[in-house]
Amino acid sequence: MKTALVTGGSRGIGRAICIKLAAMGYYVLVNYKSNMQEAETTLSQIRENGGDGELLKFDVADRSQIKQTLGDWITTNPEKHVEILVNNAGIKDDSLMLWMKDEQWDNVIKTSLDGFFFVTRLVLDSMLLKRYGRIVNIVSLSGLKGLPGQTNYSAAKAGVIGATKALAQEVGRSGITVNAVAPGFIKTDMTEELDEKELKRMIPVNRFGSAEEVAHAVAFLASGEAAYITGQVLSVNGGLYS
Ligand code: NAP
């Protein structure tokens, strides 16, 4: 069974990606950290559209949880091949560097960068065996440009961009592509406290984007037809910065 794993699929961009990949015919593993109710809503929406999937709870910042939960799932479901992996789970915890606490640095880096490494390494094995895979990492404008108040988040996302380019070269011969999508300002819980009216003036398209618009870009890179695109970063930012 063609399967897709989306980390952080319970809300926002991850939810829209889950729904989109299910509509492409994938059985979707909806990962989440703690918000089971929201994760169940994602799964219900997948099923309402005629798709299917299941919830897989683990913290992407915790390597032993990943190994135990995802590792066990892979072992016990040999008929479900994870063809698509979307490393979407991410958090921000902003502060000027001078006042940034150790935990703020650690948590943000662990979630995006360590999460990418430990989850991807686990699913890579079967992609290599089947000689097919699509890995899409959700990064950020912050990781390309750097944003003040986000040294932790910018470093985490820039790290994932570097890893995307390196891994793409390692696995290209095996039918696996590795790309990144870099959203700008997207309407989700993460940007809830931002003033869209003020910020949209900087954005050529003059509005925040939607989670569905990011999901559309992910679906393109995750499609079979995108086989000759790898190691790229696709910005979805209304022209803000590329
Ligand atoms: P969001 O609405 O805050 O949702 C975050 C998702 O990530 C939730 O499903 C959450 O699960 C999950 N998550 C957080 N930490 C996790 C962990 N340690 N393990 C597993 N899952 C975890 O965020 P979003 O706006 O959709 O952002 C999604 C991705 O896009 C992130 O990587 C973010 O950095 C990136 N991004 C967003 C924007 C934007 O404007 N929104 C811009 C650029 C990049 P729970 O529900 O269980 O908490």
Side-chain angles (χ1 to χ4, degrees):
M1 193 185 284
K2 293 191 324 176
T3 302
L5 166 61
V6 181
T7 66
S10 48
R11 291 181 283 128
I13 293 170
R15 172 181 287 166
I17 294 169
C18 288
I19 292 168
K20 186 82 182 174
L21 297 182
M24 284 164 66
Y26 281 88
Y27 182 86
V28 180
L29 294 179
V30 181
N31 160 256
Y32 67 104
K33 182 184 176 188
S34 54
N35 213 326
M36 189 164 92
Q37 216 175 342
E38 294 289 338
E40 275 172 350
T41 303
T42 301
L43 193 53
S44 308
Q45 291 185 7
I46 287 174
R47 290 185 175 144
E48 275 162 28
N49 294 339
D52 200 9
E54 66 185 275
L55 304 185
L56 207 56
K57 178 180 192 282
F58 59 85
D59 179 347
V60 300
D62 181 336
R63 68 183 78 175
S64 59
Q65 262 190 49
I66 297 170
K67 205 172 163 202
Q68 201 173 1
T69 311
L70 180 59
D72 281 0
W73 186 90
I74 291 170
T75 313
T76 51
N77 291 275
E79 78 292 355
K80 294 193 181 84
H81 167 51
V82 178
E83 275 192 4
I84 298 176
L85 165 63
V86 184
N87 287 302
N88 164 76
I91 53 165
K92 69 179 175 73
D93 193 350
D94 298 352
S95 162
L96 292 176
M97 182 139 165
L98 194 60
W99 293 297
M100 190 175 285
K101 299 191 180 74
D102 291 2
E103 314 84 79
Q104 286 177 288
W105 177 265
D106 287 344
N107 292 340
V108 170
I109 298 279
K110 275 187 189 160
T111 305
S112 278
L113 195 53
D114 292 12
F116 155 80
F117 175 67
F118 292 112
V119 174
T120 305
R121 194 175 56 177
L122 258 188
V123 303
L124 202 55
D125 200 32
S126 81
M127 286 183 178
L128 287 166
L129 273 173
K130 303 260 180 192
R131 300 189 70 77
Y132 185 86
R134 295 281 179 269
I135 298 169
V136 183
N137 301 317
I138 308 302
V139 293
S140 172
L141 172 71
S142 240
L144 289 166
K145 184 179 180 284
L147 288 178
Q150 294 197 323
T151 48
N152 51 358
Y153 187 77
S154 301
K157 296 300 192 182
V160 175
I161 290 171
T164 300
K165 293 179 179 183
L167 183 61
Q169 294 173 64
E170 286 185 20
V171 297
R173 281 166 189 266
S174 304
I176 302 168
T177 65
V178 190
N179 290 291
V181 168
F185 290 107
I186 308 298
K187 269 190 223 185
T188 66
D189 293 347
M190 192 178 268
T191 52
E192 205 177 32
E193 82 285 6
L194 300 181
D195 183 354
E196 182 176 355
K197 263 194 200 144
E198 184 61 32
L199 288 166
K200 73 177 188 182
R201 285 194 243 158
M202 303 187 309
I203 306 170
V205 167
N206 199 37
R207 63 173 174 84
F208 279 14
S210 70
E212 289 71 23
E213 286 171 318
V214 180
H216 184 65
V218 172
F220 163 64
L221 292 170
S223 68
E225 291 92 330
Y228 207 56
I229 302 171
T230 194
Q232 300 303 308
V233 184
L234 177 57
S235 287
V236 182
N237 61 22
L240 185 56
Y241 176 88
S242 321

